[in-house]
Amino acid sequence: MKTIIQTQTPTPGHVRMDPLRKTAMVAGILYLVTFVSSIPALFLISPVLNDPHYITGPGADSTVIFGCFLDLVNALSAVGTAVALFPVVKRQNEGIALGFVTARMFEAAVIVIGVVSLLAVVTLRQNGGADPALVPVGQALVAVRGWTFILGPSLVPGVSGLLLGYLMYRSGLVPRIIPLLGLIGGPLLLSSTISTMFGINQGISLWSGLATLPIFVWELSLGIWMTVKGFKPSPITTGQVRTA
């Protein structure tokens, strides 16, 4: 009697991605999504920001609502970057990593408050018609959005740049020139934003632009590197179980 032995060969083309590579790719893509969503949103919501009588005018509600939707995508993506990176960077310093997650969640929450204030303007315009009494209400809601922009996307990225920049610089997960931009840009952005809060600096000025540039390049280059290259070999990932 013959014994038949069957062997199974791996399915061609089925390659499991290293979980660290997957983590880096997800975090990188989410960082890029924050750019893809937040930049167009600024232009789409500009009608309600720049027209003090928007609430009684013809309006561009569909455009503004889509801009608000993109801001929501930006907020969720910001939280996603922190959630994706936390299991890795906490190996460097769990307290600072938790601080980074908290900062991103705070930033997202403040962005959502700004979105709600603009959607309220749209709702009042649609329901209130041309009532002039709504003009100061609309302006107040737009002012709320203005402060959320200062306290959220303007202030918090400076804090996040310092926290995540430190973790990335010490761990060596990415080339150190990238987190160095965050460590330099964080204090610059914080000083610019705080001076704007106290009326020393204008929100749109040469100083604000120069202070924002390093953080802009830091987050963009970090997103691109993690998406394309992943993490560099690092002591904090040595011995980590790599199962898909």
Side-chain angles (χ1 to χ4, degrees):
M1 183 174 63
K2 295 182 178 180
T3 301
I4 300 175
I5 300 177
Q6 294 181 339
T7 59
Q8 293 182 342
T9 57
T11 304
H14 182 68
V15 179
R16 292 186 176 184
M17 181 181 291
D18 186 305
L20 281 174
R21 181 69 185 94
K22 187 185 298 183
T23 296
M25 180 176 292
V26 169
I29 291 174
L30 288 173
Y31 260 108
L32 297 180
V33 169
T34 62
F35 284 91
V36 174
S37 57
S38 63
I39 294 175
L42 289 174
F43 296 97
L44 292 171
I45 64 177
S46 61
V48 68
L49 298 181
N50 298 328
D51 184 0
H53 294 88
Y54 178 92
I55 201 167
T56 58
D61 293 346
S62 297
T63 300
V64 173
I65 290 173
F66 186 58
C68 289
F69 170 75
L70 290 180
D71 262 344
L72 288 177
V73 172
N74 174 34
L76 293 175
S77 300
V79 174
T81 59
V83 172
L85 288 173
F86 179 75
V88 178
V89 296
K90 74 175 183 178
R91 293 169 173 265
Q92 180 64 47
N93 188 306
E94 187 169 0
I96 295 178
L98 186 59
F100 169 62
V101 174
T102 304
R104 292 298 258 181
M105 291 181 67
F106 175 81
E107 179 183 358
V110 173
I111 290 174
V112 171
I113 294 172
V115 167
V116 171
S117 68
L118 294 188
L119 291 177
V121 174
V122 172
T123 300
L124 289 173
R125 195 204 69 77
Q126 293 175 344
N127 297 334
D131 186 354
L134 292 176
V135 172
V137 177
Q139 293 174 344
L141 289 169
V142 171
V144 170
R145 195 273 172 186
W147 276 104
T148 61
F149 185 80
I150 293 175
L151 297 176
S154 294
L155 183 68
V156 178
V159 177
S160 300
L162 287 172
L163 296 176
L164 185 60
Y166 171 83
L167 293 170
M168 288 294 186
Y169 187 87
R170 291 297 303 271
S171 64
L173 289 170
V174 297
R176 283 193 164 92
I177 184 62
I178 296 178
L180 192 61
L181 290 169
L183 294 172
I184 294 173
L188 291 176
L189 186 59
L190 288 172
S191 64
S192 171
T193 304
I194 293 173
S195 64
T196 299
M197 292 173 60
F198 287 94
I200 302 173
N201 180 44
Q202 297 296 319
I204 301 177
S205 65
L206 178 60
W207 169 237
S208 296
L210 292 175
T212 303
L213 184 60
I215 288 293
F216 180 90
V217 177
W218 140 249
E219 293 192 347
L220 181 60
S221 59
L222 180 65
I224 292 174
W225 181 274
M226 290 193 298
T227 301
V228 177
K229 296 288 189 178
F231 295 131
K232 294 178 62 181
S234 168
I236 70 170
T237 58
T238 301
Q240 182 167 330
V241 179
R242 301 190 173 191
T243 56

